[in-house]
Amino acid sequence: MSNYRIETKCVQGGYTPSNGEPRQIPIIQSTTFKYDSSSEMGKLFDLEAEGYFYSRLQNPTCDYVAAKICEMEGGTAAMLTSSGQAANFYAVFNIANCGDHVVSSSTIYGGTYNLFAVTMKKMGIDFTFVDPDCTEEELEAAFRPNTKAVFGETIANPALTVLDIEKFAKAAHAHNVPLILDNTFATPINCRPFEWGADIVTHSTTKYMDGHASGIGGCIVDSGNFDWMAHADKFPGLCTPDDSYHGITYAEKFGKEGAFITKATAQLMRDFGSTQSPQTAYLLNLGLESLHVRVERHCANALAVAKFLKNHEQIAWVSYPGLEGDKYYETAKKYMPNGTCGVISFGVKGGRKAAEDFMGHLKIASIETHVADARTCCLHPASSTHRQLNDKELLASGVSADLVRLSCGLENADDLIEDIAQALAAIK
C-alpha cells in the first residue's frame, strides 16, 4: 500500500484478506504451529523459509499489525514487542554490546533514561547524555570510537522538547552509526522520522496507537536505509556469522532492508522473549484504524488548553510545541507541520505542593501513570515516573518539581478548560 496516503494505511495497511478470508485481522491465539515433516520445520529454524513455529518469535496476528505500522512509518521491516521499554532496549542492544557506547538526548522518558543509565550500564554499555539543544560542536564531542548509535525522542516525554532530527542524523551518519528515534508522542500521523534522516524508529504502542488503555506494547521499525555492511567493523553482530543461529550473516542474507529486524527477532526475541500477545496486537490494530482521526482531535484539544493556561495568573509556565511562542514552535513546524501531540507540560505557581493539590481537584482528568489516551489524564512526574532521578538528573531531563503533565483526551475542549479552571480556583 505504498502509494496510498497514511489515513488509508491506518485503516487497511498490513493485511489484505483473500477470497473468503476474515475481513478483520484474525487472532491466532496459538503458541505453536503444526508441520507435516521435520525438514519443513527445519527450514524455518534455518531462516530458509517463511512461516511460524513458535509464537515467542513470531505470530501471524502480530506480524500483520507490525506490517501496518511499518507501512505507516515508511519502513522496510518491523516487529512488535511486549512494551515500549522492550522496543527501546532491543533497538539499542541489537547493535550495542558490552564495551560499546551510545549517544542519547538527555530529555527522554524517565524509564528509558533509567534503562540506559543504570540497567544497560550494568551490561557494560556506556551512554553519554547530551542536551537536545546542544550545538553541533557539543554533539560532536560526545562521540567516541566505540559509539554504535544515537538515540532521541521526536517529542520528549514529559519535557516536550522537539528534537532537531536532521542535526542528530547528520552527526550520527558522520560517525557511521544509525539514529534511533522514539516516535511515540508524534506518531507517524504527525512525524515520519525516516524522511528526515532517522534510521530506526521505536514506539510505545501503549500510547496513541492503542489509544484506549487496553494493551501494553511496543514496536521497532527499520527504515532499510542504513548500510550495515559498509560499516561492518562497527557492527559485527549483523555483519559476521552468528554462531548461535547456524552461522548466518544477517546483513548478507537479508540485506540492509531486513537484517536489523531479522536479527532482533531470531536472536533477541528468541532469548529475551518480550513478545506482544496476539490479543493485544488485535486491540492495537483497532486503535490504529482510528489513529489519524484521534490524533487530530488530541492536538486541537491540547492547543486550546495550552492557550488557556498561558494566560492564567496561577500558571508559572506552559510548554507545548504547537503553541505559538513556544521554544520549540519553529522546530515543530518544520518536522510536524500538521500538529504535535495532545500532551502539555506546565508549572503551577506554588511549586510541588500546589501542583499536587491542583491535580487532586480535577474531575474529568484523572491521575494516572499513563498518557496519550482517549480519556484526559495527568501526572506529577517528579513524584512518579521520574522519582528515581536526583535533582540534577531531573533538571537535565527537563523535569522540574512543579511540572504537571496533562494528556488531553477526546472530550470537549471547553469541558477540559472548565475543569482546569475550577481546580485552579480551588487552590487559590
Side-chain angles (χ1 to χ4, degrees):
M1 299 190 71
S2 60
N3 295 327
Y4 291 103
R5 294 168 178 81
I6 196 164
E7 295 86 352
T8 304
K9 293 177 180 179
C10 283
V11 179
Q12 297 205 26
Y15 172 71
T16 303
S18 299
N19 185 49
E21 292 186 336
R23 185 62 193 88
Q24 179 56 280
I25 288 178
I27 303 172
I28 311 299
Q29 193 67 46
S30 180
T31 61
T32 52
F33 300 82
K34 173 188 175 294
Y35 287 88
D36 292 334
S37 69
S38 294
S39 61
E40 288 181 274
M41 184 176 285
K43 292 179 181 178
L44 301 178
F45 275 92
D46 289 344
L47 301 179
E48 295 292 342
E50 293 184 4
Y52 303 92
F53 54 87
Y54 196 55
S55 282
R56 188 179 77 231
L57 279 84
Q58 285 182 285
N59 173 278
T61 307
C62 295
D63 280 359
Y64 290 140
V65 182
K68 174 178 283 191
I69 297 173
C70 188
E71 289 181 13
M72 291 165 62
E73 283 287 9
T76 58
M79 66 184 293
L80 297 188
T81 61
S82 59
S83 67
Q85 279 288 85
N88 284 336
F89 171 63
Y90 280 17
V92 174
F93 195 62
N94 204 32
I95 51 177
N97 301 305
C98 182
D100 288 336
H101 171 257
V102 175
V103 176
S104 174
S105 168
S106 60
T107 57
I108 55 177
Y109 168 59
T112 307
Y113 184 95
N114 195 73
L115 169 68
F116 291 169
V118 179
T119 302
M120 295 188 75
K121 185 176 182 180
K122 293 177 182 177
M123 301 169 73
I125 303 172
D126 200 12
F127 288 79
T128 296
F129 295 94
V130 297
D131 188 321
D133 301 325
C134 65
T135 64
E136 292 185 0
E137 291 74 20
E138 290 170 332
L139 181 56
E140 172 69 23
F143 285 85
R144 303 175 187 174
N146 61 335
T147 300
K148 295 300 177 71
V150 178
F151 183 91
E153 294 179 2
T154 49
I155 305 176
N157 174 17
L160 299 182
T161 56
V162 178
L163 197 75
D164 186 341
I165 302 173
E166 286 191 314
K167 179 178 76 175
F168 275 74
K170 178 183 176 182
H173 297 158
H175 290 269
N176 302 322
V177 300
L179 172 61
I180 303 171
L181 278 190
D182 185 327
N183 196 31
T184 296
F185 268 19
T187 82
I189 302 301
N190 284 340
C191 184
R192 285 160 57 90
F194 295 155
E195 297 175 359
W196 298 101
D199 301 289
I200 308 293
V201 158
T202 64
H203 287 278
S204 170
T205 62
T206 316
K207 309 305 190 296
Y208 287 119
M209 285 186 166
D210 174 285
H212 301 84
S214 59
I216 292 175
C219 186
I220 308 172
V221 186
D222 183 7
S223 69
N225 293 328
F226 194 86
D227 192 342
W228 307 104
M229 288 302 292
H231 315 292
D233 59 321
K234 274 189 171 289
F235 306 103
L238 284 162
C239 302
T240 59
D242 180 2
D243 293 334
S244 75
Y245 223 100
H246 319 295
I248 283 176
T249 300
Y250 296 101
E252 288 182 351
K253 187 171 182 62
F254 301 100
K256 63 181 184 179
E257 296 82 7
F260 187 88
I261 295 297
T262 302
K263 178 180 180 291
T265 301
Q267 196 178 82
L268 302 187
M269 192 63 83
R270 174 197 64 190
D271 293 345
F272 290 102
S274 301
T275 311
Q276 187 167 143
S277 75
Q279 180 68 54
T280 298
Y282 176 84
L283 294 172
L284 168 58
N285 185 61
L286 294 180
L288 291 172
E289 289 179 350
S290 64
L291 182 64
H292 56 295
V293 180
R294 290 185 290 105
V295 164
E296 184 177 352
R297 179 61 174 266
H298 283 296
C299 292
N301 280 356
L303 182 58
V305 170
K307 288 179 178 178
F308 167 78
L309 290 170
K310 184 179 181 181
N311 297 314
H312 200 285
E313 62 179 5
Q314 289 174 259
I315 299 302
W317 55 271
V318 179
S319 177
Y320 182 65
L323 183 65
E324 192 167 359
D326 185 88
K327 180 180 180 180
Y328 296 99
Y329 179 73
E330 293 300 327
T331 307
K333 278 180 62 179
K334 173 181 177 179
Y335 295 114
M336 291 160 266
N338 297 321
T340 54
C341 66
V343 180
I344 307 165
S345 290
F346 59 93
V348 180
K349 289 182 179 178
R352 180 188 292 263
K353 185 178 186 304
E356 294 188 20
D357 289 346
F358 158 75
M359 293 197 305
H361 287 284
L362 291 169
K363 298 177 180 178
I364 295 177
S366 58
I367 301 173
E368 302 176 20
T369 310
H370 191 43
V371 73
D373 187 70
R375 292 159 291 269
T376 296
C377 53
C378 61
L379 195 71
H380 183 241
S383 62
S384 54
T385 55
H386 287 61
R387 68 180 298 120
Q388 75 273 21
L389 305 184
N390 59 39
D391 288 346
K392 183 178 179 181
E393 291 170 335
L394 276 175
L395 291 175
S397 65
V399 176
S400 57
D402 65 344
L403 186 153
V404 172
R405 183 186 71 185
L406 182 74
S407 174
C408 295
L410 303 178
E411 304 91 348
N412 183 280
D414 290 335
D415 287 338
L416 297 180
I417 290 171
E418 289 170 9
D419 187 32
I420 293 168
Q422 67 82 25
L424 288 169
I427 66 168
K428 194 168 184 179

